[in-house]
Amino acid sequence: KKDKKKKKQIEIDQQQVQANIRQILHGQPTKTKKKKRKQREETQDEGNVLEVTEFITLGELASLMGVPANELIAKSLQLGKMVTINQRLERELIELLAAEYDYEVSFVDVKSQLEEEEKEEEVVEDLEYVERPPVVVVMGHVDHGKTKLLDYIRRTNVIAGEAGGITQHIGAYQVTLEDGKKITFLDTPGHEAFTAMRARGAQVADIAIIVVAADEGVMPQTKEAISHAKAAGLEIVFAINKIDKPNARPERVKQQLAEMGYLVEDWGGEYTCQEISAITGQGVDELLEKVLILAELMELKAPINVKPKGYIIEASQKKGLGNVATVIVKEGILKPRMPLVAGVHFAKIRIMFDERGNRVEEAYPGTPVRITGFESLPDAGDKFVVYDDERRAREVAQHRERLLREQMLHAKSRLTLDEASQKAAAGELQELPIILKVDTYGSLEAIRDALLKLNEENEEVALKIVHADVGQISESDVMLAAASNGIVIGFQVRPNLQAREAAEREKVEIRTYSVIYDLIEDIKNAMEGMRKPREVQVPVGIAEVRETFKIKKVGTVAGCYVKEGKLVRGGKVNVVRNGVVVYTGEIDSLKRHKDDVKEVKAGLECGVHIKGFNDVKKGDVLEAFEIVLVKPGEEVPKGIASVSDSE
Ligand code: GDP
């Protein structure tokens, strides 16, 4: 496999050479630059395509097309829409109005517009590349030894054997191996922080070390970590840890990995794997060597004669130093006194430190450094770009702040299924990433099979199952959806509180279903661009089961406390246990003290029996719901806040 990889890369290099020759023969520069367009929106004239952001106002659209705003307002009225000159328009209306003047519309999002701007500012005739060290992130299940491994490597700097090692935690560090080769580690273990950065657009790492404890084996977060690493396009290396333990069973871990489709190298597979102990250090040298071998195959290179760019890994305020940020350089050579912008934050670098606290005068690609000089605190995951002159950098930061404010005002969600469907109808949907969480392994298989079949049937849209597992919807699922611009699909499961908050914050859509057929139909329709109304369960009451009683002739009665909304006799109810729906039925008996009642409101206790269900348990949550028909484009009624399990 590795040979093959190498060969493929050689072939690509050949192509590159050919391309270079062609360019030289035709006298073209290696990288051509479009004329910098200051007011890019005014100069969109290629064909009859208007490039607009989703935040365009009627007035702006009018001036773009060179028609009087009044005329556009009149046209809108004819189309049945009342709009004012400063009002921002819906996608559909923009398209309709443009069509009136024979324009086609191409929507650009703010982010890609900013990226374009960056590219346009850059003029480089011949890019000069250097090899760069791999950036490695350590992931795995909790307590499997991620922190210990990072500590061990940091403390010993294993092979170079530098005395004292690295004492500071700055979010990333670099170690040098005997042959002088370097590896950069992200010093925040786990996939959560990593994916949060990725959700901000950062592509920081190249390789993920997935730590699996040899005594416990593959656990839920091991699978999660693998999905996160894969979704980020990282190469994966398995480190089977804790082999010093008497009950370590590394072969069983390899077996489990094989069952998941990850055949490790000593089992004849393609995945790099090393048995280690993060306590004794056994195998760690070998692990690092293997990481380097993999990195070599990846041929990691970066241009250095460009304006430096990279990502913020961590930022905080430090006494005496002001705002301090750890960054990893992606391209170019970063030096003190350079002006830069990260997100909306401006900095003129004052001092650069390495992870050992030494001052440095330049940082090459793949290197982490701490910099001071930020006027405000940037966020982890922000991309930074250096500018030639300070004024321009400040301008860019301000411009971005304005755009960002606009974006917040019109807080647009990430992809929703409804939008996906709209895009599919317009032929603009290439990919539909989903994160799937379900109640049992049986339904996981059934749903996955049905979805894969949809994928085969539909050639235009690729349905991508980024992660699929059993259990309630967690924050990590939501962040993975945010980073993949995908949707979380739940079958008979509910998000926990953190997941709901994250979904709200990151504007990720969570859709939950209770019938497999409905789930598949909805996704199928979305992929085909069909927008049909669907039935949605809207929660109207939440009650906690605090006690259960066996009552003759009735069955098990749940002694409940109604937390929110109300329970109604004859109403539908889900029984939710650990975020998973274990039963759906009807309330056939509802009592306050000894009396039958029609409904019980929040703040009161009651006795509930659910028709045909006598397995209710203390700690269960009863979710009373109504079924509402939601048309495409309509908001799903929120009802009361839905179930959030105390985990
Ligand atoms: P994390 O949650 O993955 O970061 O796990 P930690 O690094 O905090 O380790 C969890 C526990 O496992 C700690 O008590 C460590 O001392 C222990 N541990 C980690 N690696 C090893 C190892 O290689 N051998 C043994 N015996 N214990 C380990």
Side-chain angles (χ1 to χ4, degrees):
K1 156 92 203 285
K2 276 178 186 161
D3 280 354
K4 232 168 58 208
K5 238 188 199 168
K6 190 95 196 175
K7 207 157 142 211
K8 202 166 145 213
Q9 260 146 3
I10 291 170
E11 273 167 23
I12 291 170
D13 284 349
Q14 292 291 353
Q15 282 173 12
Q16 182 77 48
V17 171
Q18 290 298 331
N20 287 347
I21 292 173
R22 266 201 308 277
Q23 272 162 348
I24 291 164
L25 284 179
H26 297 264
Q28 293 162 333
T30 316
K31 204 173 167 191
T32 47
K33 176 208 167 201
K34 285 182 257 168
K35 263 265 156 301
K36 181 170 137 192
R37 285 175 290 181
K38 234 187 167 171
Q39 288 290 346
R40 48 181 294 114
E41 287 182 353
E42 282 174 12
T43 55
Q44 299 304 325
D45 224 316
E46 304 155 22
N48 266 354
V49 181
L50 290 177
E51 259 184 50
V52 299
T53 68
E54 300 131 292
F55 313 114
I56 195 165
T57 62
L58 182 126
E60 286 164 349
L61 183 65
S63 75
L64 255 180
M65 299 194 296
V67 298
N70 286 341
E71 201 176 305
L72 270 200
I73 293 176
K75 288 255 191 254
S76 309
L77 265 179
Q78 283 166 17
L79 293 165
K81 300 266 181 190
M82 268 273 284
V83 283
T84 60
I85 189 162
N86 290 322
Q87 189 172 334
R88 291 171 200 285
L89 309 173
E90 288 165 28
R91 251 179 118 98
E92 248 173 6
L93 188 57
I94 297 174
E95 280 171 342
L96 285 173
L97 289 174
E100 292 272 322
Y101 297 91
D102 283 334
Y103 280 105
E104 265 181 59
V105 177
S106 149
F107 288 95
V108 294
D109 59 37
V110 172
K111 218 179 102 201
S112 59
Q113 200 194 343
L114 291 178
E115 278 165 11
E116 276 278 302
E117 273 177 16
E118 268 164 25
K119 273 191 213 136
E120 283 170 13
E121 299 223 348
E122 180 97 78
V123 213
V124 177
E125 297 292 310
D126 286 295
L127 291 175
E128 186 187 326
Y129 284 88
V130 293
E131 242 182 79
R132 66 167 176 85
V135 180
V136 177
V137 56
V138 178
M139 301 177 175
H141 195 74
V142 64
D143 279 347
H144 279 198
K146 301 178 289 291
T147 313
K148 263 275 166 330
L149 175 62
L150 280 165
D151 282 350
Y152 183 85
I153 298 169
R154 184 190 318 99
R155 214 178 53 239
T156 49
N157 189 7
V158 192
I159 298 173
E162 180 190 304
I166 305 153
T167 48
Q168 296 189 322
H169 275 277
I170 65 162
Y173 63 77
Q174 198 170 53
V175 292
T176 310
L177 276 67
E178 246 168 15
D179 53 3
K181 294 239 151 93
K182 293 179 164 139
I183 304 178
T184 299
F185 281 93
L186 294 181
D187 201 8
T188 3
H191 52 269
E192 292 86 357
F194 174 75
T195 296
M197 277 205 270
R198 209 162 68 79
R200 299 189 68 87
Q203 295 156 344
V204 197
D206 308 296
I207 296 174
I209 295 182
I210 307 282
V211 176
V212 192
D215 52 347
E216 271 192 4
V218 171
M219 298 292 277
Q221 286 172 341
T222 315
K223 291 187 199 162
E224 240 176 68
I226 295 173
S227 295
H228 283 237
K230 271 179 55 184
L234 307 184
E235 291 284 337
I236 290 175
V237 172
F238 292 102
I240 302 181
N241 189 29
K242 307 200 186 183
I243 50 160
D244 58 293
K245 282 191 146 183
N247 57 344
R249 290 163 61 197
E251 291 305 306
R252 190 182 67 124
V253 176
K254 292 176 196 170
Q255 170 78 44
Q256 288 174 322
L257 293 174
E259 278 161 14
M260 290 164 58
Y262 298 92
L263 203 58
V264 300
E265 52 194 358
D266 39 340
W267 278 34
E270 55 170 306
Y271 285 91
T272 308
C273 176
Q274 177 63 43
E275 293 175 21
I276 61 162
S277 165
I279 297 264
T280 68
Q282 184 188 343
V284 177
D285 296 13
E286 287 85 347
L287 176 67
L288 298 189
E289 269 156 27
K290 285 182 178 176
V291 165
L292 271 185
I293 292 172
L294 187 62
E296 244 159 64
L297 288 172
M298 293 168 79
E299 294 192 2
L300 302 167
K301 282 191 192 131
I304 44 167
N305 56 340
V306 294
K307 285 176 209 152
K309 297 172 192 66
Y311 295 107
I312 309 287
I313 302 300
E314 194 177 278
S316 60
Q317 283 183 328
K318 287 268 146 43
K319 258 204 178 134
L321 289 175
N323 296 319
V324 180
T326 299
V327 307
I328 289 189
V329 181
K330 265 285 214 208
E331 291 180 8
I333 305 168
L334 194 65
K335 295 174 184 167
R337 288 168 301 284
M338 283 182 163
L340 58 83
V341 178
V344 300
H345 308 276
F346 168 85
K348 182 164 184 188
I349 304 181
R350 283 212 305 266
I351 316 173
M352 299 202 323
F353 298 103
D354 66 10
E355 61 281 88
R356 291 157 173 86
N358 305 317
R359 279 177 82 141
V360 286
E361 292 304 317
E362 45 182 32
Y364 273 70
T367 311
V369 275
R370 276 178 121 191
I371 60 179
T372 67
F374 268 103
E375 296 190 352
S376 50
L377 209 56
D379 293 300
D382 276 346
K383 182 177 185 186
F384 77 77
V385 180
V386 165
Y387 286 82
D388 278 338
D389 90 274
E390 193 176 324
R391 241 201 26 229
R392 175 73 188 137
R394 281 182 192 280
E395 241 173 58
V396 169
Q398 276 162 13
H399 170 68
R400 286 184 176 189
E401 198 164 0
R402 214 192 66 227
L403 275 177
L404 195 77
R405 227 175 316 146
E406 272 183 9
Q407 205 172 22
M408 302 255 266
L409 275 178
H410 300 274
K412 215 187 75 70
S413 60
R414 295 175 195 263
L415 189 69
T416 64
L417 205 57
D418 198 33
E419 250 177 37
S421 171
Q422 272 182 39
K423 280 191 167 177
E428 288 170 10
L429 186 75
Q430 276 106 35
E431 192 180 86
L432 179 58
I434 62 170
I435 282 80
L436 182 67
K437 289 305 276 279
V438 304
D439 56 346
T440 64
Y441 284 100
S443 34
L444 181 62
E445 233 161 82
I447 294 170
R448 194 158 31 190
D449 285 353
L451 291 178
L452 290 177
K453 210 144 122 232
L454 285 188
N455 222 359
E456 281 166 20
E457 284 164 10
N458 190 317
E459 287 188 352
E460 278 90 58
V461 182
L463 184 68
K464 211 163 99 188
I465 304 179
V466 181
H467 177 63
D469 207 358
V470 169
Q472 72 181 330
I473 297 164
S474 66
E475 183 176 3
S476 148
D477 295 325
V478 174
M479 292 313 291
L480 185 55
S484 324
N485 196 25
I487 298 157
V488 181
I489 303 281
F491 176 71
Q492 291 293 63
V493 292
R494 297 285 179 269
N496 63 22
L497 186 65
Q498 293 89 327
R500 268 202 295 126
E501 284 171 357
E504 188 89 359
R505 190 178 66 236
E506 299 290 333
K507 311 249 173 288
V508 166
E509 183 178 32
I510 300 180
R511 280 215 179 178
T512 55
Y513 294 87
S514 50
V515 180
I516 293 187
Y517 174 82
D518 290 348
L519 188 162
I520 304 298
E521 269 299 294
D522 262 15
I523 294 186
K524 180 165 182 249
N525 288 337
M527 286 168 73
E528 289 172 356
M530 292 212 277
R531 305 174 72 208
K532 292 186 180 164
R534 63 195 171 99
E535 288 184 349
V536 178
Q537 290 185 1
V538 176
V540 294
I542 299 292
E544 274 174 19
V545 178
R546 295 190 164 170
E547 218 60 68
T548 60
F549 312 93
K550 287 236 180 330
I551 297 190
K552 257 196 208 138
K553 287 195 191 138
V554 180
T556 309
V557 168
C560 296
Y561 172 75
V562 183
K563 277 175 75 176
E564 285 174 70
K566 60 183 180 183
L567 298 190
V568 182
R569 184 160 41 131
K572 293 246 176 224
V573 68
N574 285 316
V575 182
V576 184
R577 191 171 297 159
N578 298 323
V580 176
V581 178
V582 292
Y583 191 79
T584 302
E586 199 175 282
I587 297 178
D588 62 357
S589 155
L590 188 62
K591 282 182 197 274
R592 288 269 303 144
H593 308 296
K594 292 256 177 294
D595 308 326
D596 279 315
V597 288
K598 272 210 181 111
E599 59 172 53
V600 178
K601 292 216 166 87
L604 299 176
E605 293 184 331
C606 57
V608 178
H609 184 261
I610 297 159
K611 200 170 165 182
F613 186 66
N614 289 310
D615 190 32
V616 68
K617 294 205 164 71
K618 197 173 151 181
D620 285 353
V621 175
L622 303 188
E623 178 192 63
F625 66 89
E626 280 169 2
I627 291 187
V628 176
L629 197 68
V630 179
K631 291 199 199 109
E634 264 181 15
E635 279 224 4
V636 179
K638 272 252 163 67
I640 56 158
S642 62
V643 178
S644 58
D645 267 17
S646 43
E647 279 159 286

